[in-house]
């Protein structure tokens, strides 16, 4: 912001003091400096006491009469007058008045006193130019952080003045660095510490008169990240609060909340906070926050909030043993803003909220709440429990049934199951042993460490039905002979002969043994037939 010019200087400024008048005796000239449009008095020597006839001349190519103490002579211009009958007083100085003047005095002869008058103009007006990004309503200039800024300062003065630049930061009460005696300069990559007051000071080399202009320059920066917005519920009023933040910029941005779709304006402020009652809310409704910054994007930056009613999930039934502990869990999802979770007891009293104590322990982490019941009692604790989730959009509830049972004798149940298993194994083993002697023989052979390749084969035949009583003795003799040659054993039990063969080897060898036994039996039958066919 332009602070304006400094306080007006005295109307008449003289070099080397209020008025520099260097009178030099023996004909040396005095130098007098006057201000443009001001008045000046030129003294006729540095003499006190009575004076003679005084006449003033302007020394150009030839002397020009200006004024005389002789009353019969009129001054050349009304601006000229005598002071103390010797000094020349000139009003409303102009640049043309600058030059050499001579005072002649007739006193005991003629004496001359030369005077050199210099007229200084300005600096009356200072023009400061700063290549700023923009200007505020109050005239304050601002630039964007990281930009390049050009400074220039000019003044109309005669002779040209000396220009100096001074900078005073907002964060520092004193100026830093030395003055810059130039009319223009450039600052690269403007930063926040270059925000402050810039002063241009112009000084006249003749009169020493000074003028200055102070300009305030602000350095703005847009937020580096997109805005963030969210919805939350006020506990005391259950109203919806919309909050929008866009941090990191200077100065603070402006926020505009609207309803989507439609664009109906909810509110506009620098805080980005708006309050809504429940009458304007429903599940799935969207609100849009648009942030605008003075040096940010023209279209601004935005974010959207969608409000949702809570959704609940919980196990519908839980079981607790008398004297034990049980934990009921209630999970809330999709709620925006986050819901307030409460536990209630029984459907008969749905408005009675459970308060934490030594019997009930309530814990919540995020949108998940747990109710732990210590020392379950069938009379006090069995029944319905209600988990309620509420936000400004709506209320949802879920019922959980708690069943309280007496403790069960686990040891007795385990013992009964083991006994039944053992009894079943015993029955199965007995049936297998009764109906399968082969299995019994295998088990006994295994425990004796015999080769797994040994196989016991039982062959039953009814040969006695085909043979006559006459051949029994011959067969017995042949069988005794064969038992000496082969490891076979034949026993009579009624009409069935059991032949047991132990074959050392694999199944193929066992098959060969059975085939040999069948061949021998066939040969015996053939011999018996031939003997019966023989003639007696």
């Amino acid at each position: 912001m332009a602070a304006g010019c400094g306080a007006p200087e005295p109307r008449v400024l003289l070099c080397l003091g209020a008025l520099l008048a260097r009178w030099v005796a023996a004909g040396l000239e005095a130098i007098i400096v006057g201000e443009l449009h001001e008045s000046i008095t030129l003294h006729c020597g540095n003499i006190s006491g009575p004076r003679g006839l005084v006449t003033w001349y302007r020394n150009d190519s030839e002397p020009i009469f200006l004024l005389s103490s002789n009353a019969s002579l009129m001054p050349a211009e009304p601006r000229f007058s005598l002071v103390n009958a010797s000094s020349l007083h000139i009003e409303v100085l102009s640049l043309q008045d600058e030059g050499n003047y001579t005072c002649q005095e007739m006193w005991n002869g003629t004496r001359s006193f030369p005077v050199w008058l210099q007229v200084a103009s300005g600096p009356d007006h200072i023009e400061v130019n700063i290549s700023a990004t923009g200007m505020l309503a109050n005239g304050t200039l601002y630039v964007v952080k990281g930009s390049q800024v050009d400074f220039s300062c000019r003044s109309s003065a005669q002779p040209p003045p000396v220009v100096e630049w001074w900078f005073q930061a907002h964060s520092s009460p004193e100026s830093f660095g030395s003055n810059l005696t130039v009319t223009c300069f450039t600052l690269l990559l403007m930063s926040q510490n270059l925000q402050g007051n810039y002063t241009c000071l112009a000084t006249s080399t003749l009169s020493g008169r000074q003028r200055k202009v102070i300009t305030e320059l602000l350095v703005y920066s847009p937020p580096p990240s997109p805005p963030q917005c969210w919805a939350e519920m006020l506990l005391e009023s259950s109203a919806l609060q919309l909050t929008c933040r866009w941090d990191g910029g200077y100065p603070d941005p402006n926020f505009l909340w609207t309803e989507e779709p439609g664009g109906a304006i909810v509110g506009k402020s620098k805080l980005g906070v708006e309050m809504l009652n429940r009458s304007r809310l429903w599940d799935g409704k969207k609100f849009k926050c648009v942030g605008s910054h003075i040096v940010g994007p023209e279209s601004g930056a935005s974010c959207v909030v969608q409000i949702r009613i809570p959704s609940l999930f919980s196990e519908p039934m839980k079981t607790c043993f008398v004297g034990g502990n049980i934990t009921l869990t209630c999970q809330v999802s999709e709620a925006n803003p986050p819901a307030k979770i409460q536990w209630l007891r029984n459907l008969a009293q749905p408005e009675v909220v459970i308060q934490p104590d030594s019997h009930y322990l309530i814990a919540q982490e995020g949108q998940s709440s747990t109710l732990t019941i210590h020392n379950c009692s069938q009379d006090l604790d069995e029944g319905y429990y209600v988990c309620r989730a509420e936000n400004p959009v709506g209320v949802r509830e879920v019922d959980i049934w708690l069943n309280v049972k007496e403790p069960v004798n686990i040891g007795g149940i385990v013992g009964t199951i083991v006994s039944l298993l053992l009894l079943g194994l015993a029955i199965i083993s007995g049936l297998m042993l009764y109906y399968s002697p082969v299995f019994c023989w295998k088990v006994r052979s295994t425990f004796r460490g015999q080769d797994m390749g040994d196989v016991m084969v039982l062959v039953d035949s009814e040969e006695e039905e085909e043979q006559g009583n006459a051949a029994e003795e011959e067969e017995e003799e042949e069988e005794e002979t064969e038992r000496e040659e082969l490891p076979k054993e034949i026993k009579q039990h009624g009409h069935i002969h059991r032949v047991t063969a132990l074959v050392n080897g694999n199944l193929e060898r066992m098959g060969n043994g059975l085939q040999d036994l069948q061949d021998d039996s066939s040969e015996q039958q053939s011999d018996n037939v031939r003997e019966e066919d023989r003639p007696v």
Side-chain angles (χ1 to χ4, degrees), residues 104-408:
Q104 269 190 358
E105 181 181 13
M106 304 295 294
W107 180 264
N108 296 329
T110 301
R111 294 182 298 181
S112 297
F113 303 96
V115 177
W116 181 22
L117 175 62
Q118 292 182 331
V119 179
S121 64
D124 293 326
H125 176 70
I126 296 180
E127 181 182 356
V128 175
N129 291 319
I130 299 177
S131 61
T133 303
M135 179 184 295
L136 302 179
N138 59 1
T140 303
L141 300 178
Y142 63 87
V143 296
V144 180
K145 182 180 178 180
S147 61
Q148 174 178 315
V149 182
D150 299 325
F151 297 79
S152 65
C153 181
R154 291 179 176 82
S155 176
S156 57
Q158 181 63 36
V162 175
V163 177
E164 299 175 309
W165 279 97
W166 290 80
F167 170 73
Q168 184 176 9
H170 287 170
S171 58
S172 175
E174 298 180 359
S175 301
F176 68 94
S178 58
N179 58 328
L180 187 63
T181 312
V182 293
T183 57
C184 59
F185 65 97
T186 301
L187 292 180
L188 305 176
L189 297 176
M190 291 293 294
S191 60
Q192 204 68 37
N193 58 0
L194 293 177
Q195 175 176 276
N197 294 327
Y198 289 82
T199 302
C200 174
L201 176 65
T203 304
S204 174
T205 57
L206 289 180
S207 63
R209 184 177 181 178
Q210 294 182 334
R211 294 283 184 177
K212 64 181 179 180
V213 174
I214 300 176
T215 305
E216 183 180 13
L217 183 63
L218 303 177
V219 180
Y220 288 166
S221 60
S225 58
Q228 297 180 349
C229 49
W230 63 90
E232 55 188 342
M233 179 177 64
L234 298 181
L235 298 179
E236 60 274 9
S237 61
S238 297
L240 179 67
Q241 176 176 299
L242 299 175
T243 304
C244 191
R245 289 288 180 268
W246 199 15
D247 299 327
Y250 176 78
D252 294 332
N254 296 319
F255 299 99
L256 174 66
W257 278 101
T258 59
E259 295 181 2
E260 296 295 327
I265 297 177
V266 176
K268 184 177 182 181
S269 67
K270 279 188 169 295
L271 297 178
V273 178
E274 299 295 335
M275 305 293 298
L276 297 176
N277 53 34
R278 294 193 174 189
S279 61
R280 303 177 61 180
L281 307 178
W282 60 81
D283 186 30
K285 187 172 184 179
K286 296 181 180 180
F287 296 92
K288 182 179 182 180
C289 173
V290 179
S292 58
H293 194 271
I294 189 172
V295 294
E298 293 183 1
S299 59
S302 63
C303 56
V304 178
V305 173
Q306 184 177 22
I307 57 177
R308 300 300 301 269
I309 194 171
S311 296
L312 295 180
F313 172 77
S314 180
E315 298 182 18
M317 180 180 294
K318 298 285 287 187
T319 301
C320 178
F321 293 108
V322 175
N325 301 333
I326 189 66
T327 298
L328 309 180
T329 303
C330 183
Q331 180 69 42
V332 181
S333 62
E334 299 182 359
N336 190 25
K340 176 183 177 182
I341 305 176
Q342 293 177 323
W343 288 93
L344 298 93
R345 180 70 173 92
N346 287 338
L347 291 177
Q349 297 176 334
E351 300 301 328
V352 178
V353 179
I354 297 177
Q355 300 298 331
D357 54 19
S358 59
H359 187 62
Y360 297 109
L361 177 63
I362 299 177
Q364 182 171 343
E365 182 177 355
Q367 288 288 275
S368 178
S369 179
T370 58
L371 171 63
T372 302
I373 304 174
H374 296 282
N375 192 17
C376 289
S377 172
Q378 195 168 19
D379 297 333
L380 297 177
D381 299 323
E382 188 174 57
Y384 278 106
Y385 289 82
V386 180
C387 174
R388 173 185 291 176
E390 178 183 5
N391 69 357
V393 188
V395 180
R396 288 286 175 85
E397 294 180 350
V398 64
D399 301 331
I400 304 173
W401 173 261
L402 178 62
N403 187 20
V404 182
K405 295 182 178 181
E406 292 290 339
V408 182

